[in-house]
Every structure is written in structure tokens, then in C-alpha cells.
Amino acid sequence: MTHLHDRFPGLALEHVRLGASPTQVRRVEGLVPGVDLLVKDEAAFGDGAWAGNKVRKLEWIIPEARRRRTNTLFTVGGIGTHWGLACALYGREHGLRTVLGLVDQPVDDHVRQQLARLEASGAQLHRFPTVRKLKMAAPWLIASNIRRGKVPWYLPAGGSNAVGSLGYVETALEIAAQVESGELPEPGVVVTAIGSGGTAAGLALGFRIAGLRTKVFGVVVNDSFPLDAPVIAALANRTADLLCDRGAGEQPHLAASDLSTRDDWLGTTYGDPTPASTAMVERAAGLGLELEPVYTGKALAAIADLAGQWDEPVLWLNTHGPR
């Protein structure tokens, strides 16, 4: 059973299909020497505006916005945010306005291209030099975007709330089904970049629900707010409580020891490539994988540095979302 509604028939949470699943899992030879590495290619998820792991979260967020009777999503990110672009484009397709609070980050060609896409997306953009300035302005941004008595729904960076994390609970069930069908052996660990926490939280909870022993290792790439294991476990438990409240029955709860996160590969700040992440992007390009150095490159750099320290095989999530 790969879908939450299959596993929990009485689940009172609506879902809208935005991408094609399951995404492919395949073994990658030569990318990280000495590691039995498989990739689950989330870059292929999304059938229109944008792809990657953000779209899985929107499959649950968009119908929940309708249930809440809002017409506006208010969310935040850096000026190169993939999440903000996916939110704006898919939200627009489903009749939702998007207001984006954007924080400055190191600028390269990719960030400039992303900002141009954001400006063309139809979203209302507001730029701030720091996270603190954005937090101070947030109440005004919400109040000034009330339409016909409907208050915008605030979504944290990356859509990483209890609703958005359902996208990766479902992905964990999808991985479990792929293990059962023989498409891949049960991974010892799944490695993903952590920019806001929802992907790692959903996976960790989903593996517990599915009965897999697979652990989650999160490579923290954002220093704007805490993203350690207790924070991720707490988000997973809020998602478990949401499932219970909406008719799925009692769900497992996680402790901080049930997953691992490290920020050793962050570099100087969020959005700043490192020599190791850039090298991994270049190496992946030679194998036909399109990555970027802020999330996926840093996750691969972590796998290379920690080779031999995990139970194999290692499953890496390519969460990049180019279109």
C-alpha cells in the first residue's frame, strides 16, 4: 500500500495528485566510490510547474487550504527558493494566491534565474535582508492580504508543517512497496538534505509506520533556524498526531535518537556552495544527474565523507526540482 488513503481508508485528509509516482529507484555506479549507493529520483516528481520534493508536500497542502477556506498562501524562503516557486505555480493552478517573504542569500547564476522565475510566477514578493526583518514584517504581510474576510494560511519554509510532511510519510510507504516488490533491498539508511525538516520528518515517521528498519540521516543545509534531531522528531510527532486526529488511529511516535542530523557540510551559511558540494555536482553531471550545490551536492558530499560508516545499501534522495 503506497498511499496513505489505502493504508488508512477512513483518513479525513484530502489529497490532490500533482506528480507521477512512484519515482524511480536505481543503483548509481561510480558516483561515490566504496558506497553501495542507490538514488530515488524525486527530480522526476511533478507533472507541470516545478518538480522535486516540494511538490509532494503541496499534494496535501493545497486541499487542506481549501478545507480551511483560505484563498491565500503566505510562505517564506530565500530569494532562490524552489519551495516558493512551486507554491506559487501549483497554488495558482488551483486558485490560490501566494505571498512570499524572501530573505537575501548568496547570489550566483542559479539564484538569479530562480529570482527571475519567482518574479514571473504571479506571486506577491517581499524581500528582506535578514530573517529577523522578515519575522517583524510577517504580521503586517498577513493582515494586509486578508481578502473577503479570509486570512492567509502561513506555511513555514519548505512547507514543513504537519500537513506538508505527509508527502514524505507517503514516500516512505512508496519505498517500502519498492522494497517488497524487489526493486531495491531494504536500505540501511536514507540520506536527504534538510533545508526545513519536512522531508526527513515524514520519511522517519513513514518508515516506522511501514515497519522498515531504515534510518534517516539528514544533512542540514540551513542555518536560519534549528534543524537538529529533536526538532525533526517533534515535527514527525505533530504529523503523527494529525493522522490520528483525522481518523488514522494511533500512530508511532519518534524520539530524537530515531534519526540523525549533522550540519558539518553547511559551509558558511544557507545558500552558499562549498568546494565539496560543487565537486559533487560536477561529478554527478558526468553521470547524467542534474544537481545543485546548495542541497543535493552537500548531501552527496556527506555520503562521500561518511563512506563505510553506515549499514548499506545507502539510498540517497535527489530532491532537486528543475523544469
Side-chain angles (χ1 to χ4, degrees), residues 35 217 219 262 265 300-310 312 314:
V35 176
F217 183 87
V219 180
R262 281 174 57 179
W265 300 271
L300 273 177
I303 293 172
D305 285 349
L306 297 176
Q309 297 187 30
W310 289 313
E312 294 189 357
V314 175

Side-chain angles (χ1 to χ4, degrees), residues 31-32 37 39 43 82 108 110 191-195 217-221 262-267 270-285 289-306 310 316-322:
L31 184 56
V32 182
L37 182 66
V39 59
H82 286 204
D108 58 14
H110 175 73
V191 179
T192 182
I194 294 185
F217 183 87
V219 180
V220 177
V221 301
R262 281 174 57 179
D263 63 1
D264 304 49
W265 300 271
L266 170 68
Y270 171 71
D272 194 16
T274 66
S277 71
T278 301
M280 293 308 295
V281 170
E282 293 172 354
R283 184 183 298 177
L289 282 168
E290 182 180 352
L291 308 183
E292 43 68 45
V294 175
Y295 285 76
T296 48
K298 290 179 181 180
L300 273 177
I303 293 172
D305 285 349
L306 297 176
W310 289 313
W316 161 61
L317 250 65
N318 176 18
T319 55
H320 187 35

Side-chain angles (χ1 to χ4, degrees), residues 82-248:
H82 286 204
W83 155 248
L85 183 61
C87 194
L89 296 178
Y90 283 97
R92 185 178 67 190
E93 290 178 2
H94 291 267
L96 296 167
R97 299 172 62 247
T98 298
V99 177
L100 295 176
L102 303 177
V103 178
D104 289 343
Q105 67 179 81
V107 176
D108 58 14
D109 287 343
H110 175 73
V111 171
R112 279 187 282 270
Q113 291 163 5
Q114 269 298 96
L115 185 56
R117 294 183 187 109
L118 288 166
E119 290 168 343
S121 71
Q124 183 185 124
L125 308 186
H126 300 269
R127 285 185 62 172
F128 300 91
T130 64
V131 172
R132 180 174 175 274
K133 294 282 189 181
L134 171 55
K135 287 181 176 178
M136 291 174 61
W140 172 81
L141 289 173
I142 292 172
S144 63
N145 279 283
I146 296 173
R147 296 291 187 274
R148 298 188 296 276
K150 297 181 178 180
V151 179
W153 182 21
Y154 169 69
L155 301 171
S160 289
N161 59 10
V163 178
S165 297
L166 292 169
Y168 273 85
V169 175
E170 191 162 83
T171 305
L173 299 182
E174 184 177 300
I175 292 169
Q178 290 173 314
V179 170
E180 185 176 359
S181 69
E183 293 179 57
L184 75 158
E186 182 175 346
V189 63
V190 170
V191 179
T192 182
I194 294 185
S196 57
T199 297
L203 286 172
L205 175 61
F207 290 144
R208 289 285 299 276
I209 292 172
L212 291 188
R213 295 165 296 176
T214 304
K215 296 292 186 181
V216 173
F217 183 87
V219 180
V220 177
V221 301
N222 193 345
D223 56 350
S224 300
F225 42 84
L227 288 168
D228 55 17
V231 169
I232 305 303
L235 175 55
N237 292 337
R238 291 196 296 275
T239 305
D241 291 341
L242 174 66
L243 285 169
C244 181
D245 292 344
R246 298 291 184 90

